[in-house]
Amino acid sequence: ISFVSTLVLTLGASFVPVDSLPHGLEVVARLNPFTYVIDGVRAPLLGDSTLLRSLHELGVIAALCCAVWLAARALTRRNVDLSQVSRNL
């Protein structure tokens, strides 16, 4: 788990702004949800925050939260008979 956490934080533009990354890493960073959280916090601290930018960051974070919630809901709605699973082990 720590390896995955390290990758997510490193590729989430927490150390370097996304615009300064090479194209390949920029694409990966744009797919990382932490990029939008970090940018949403970084911009007001540096003083270059606009309402449109803040709404964009918030919209992406909200969309990702909804997608994860829908996926978790779909996975937990399955009828899994745990007695069958334990017998097969």
Side-chain angles (χ1 to χ4, degrees):
I1 293 176
S2 64
F3 177 71
V4 174
S5 300
T6 302
L7 282 178
V8 167
L9 288 174
T10 304
L11 297 175
S14 57
F15 302 112
V16 179
V18 176
D19 299 333
S20 65
L21 292 173
H23 178 68
L25 288 177
E26 183 178 349
V27 171
V28 172
R30 294 275 180 211
L31 296 173
N32 188 344
F34 284 109
T35 297
Y36 299 97
V37 174
I38 292 167
D39 283 348
V41 172
R42 181 184 290 149
L45 291 175
L46 296 178
D48 65 346
S49 178
T50 62
L51 180 61
L52 184 61
R53 184 175 179 174
S54 297
L55 289 175
H56 174 260
E57 306 293 339
L58 186 61
V60 170
I61 293 168
L64 289 170
C65 287
C66 288
V68 169
W69 180 76
L70 288 172
R73 185 173 175 188
L75 290 173
T76 56
R77 284 189 166 237
R78 288 183 178 172
N79 290 329
V80 178
D81 187 8
L82 295 178
S83 63
Q84 295 294 328
V85 173
S86 63
R87 275 190 240 159
N88 292 332
L89 294 176

